[in-house]
Amino acid sequence: MFGIIVAAFMLAFGVFLQLTKNPRLVHNKKFAWVFIGIGTISLIFKILNYK
């Protein structure tokens, strides 16, 4: 259950980085796709393997 929460948080943080207009976070937009990718893939596999 904790892994699903962490994966969802990573996905949400990646989306936040992609959509933010904050000038302090603009240089981190290239990392947004990393967080979105890792969060999505891990969330899918955590849900599929959840028992």
Side-chain angles (χ1 to χ4, degrees):
M1 186 67 171
F2 179 72
I4 293 174
I5 294 169
V6 171
F9 178 74
M10 286 178 59
L11 179 62
F13 185 66
V15 170
F16 167 74
L17 281 179
Q18 189 69 26
L19 298 176
T20 189
K21 303 283 189 219
N22 189 339
R24 297 176 73 188
L25 296 174
V26 169
H27 64 278
N28 289 329
K29 284 196 177 220
K30 60 186 168 187
F31 293 115
W33 290 111
V34 174
F35 282 114
I36 291 171
I38 292 172
T40 303
I41 291 170
S42 62
L43 187 63
I44 289 170
F45 284 111
K46 296 270 185 207
I47 291 173
L48 290 176
N49 289 327
Y50 187 72
K51 295 181 182 181

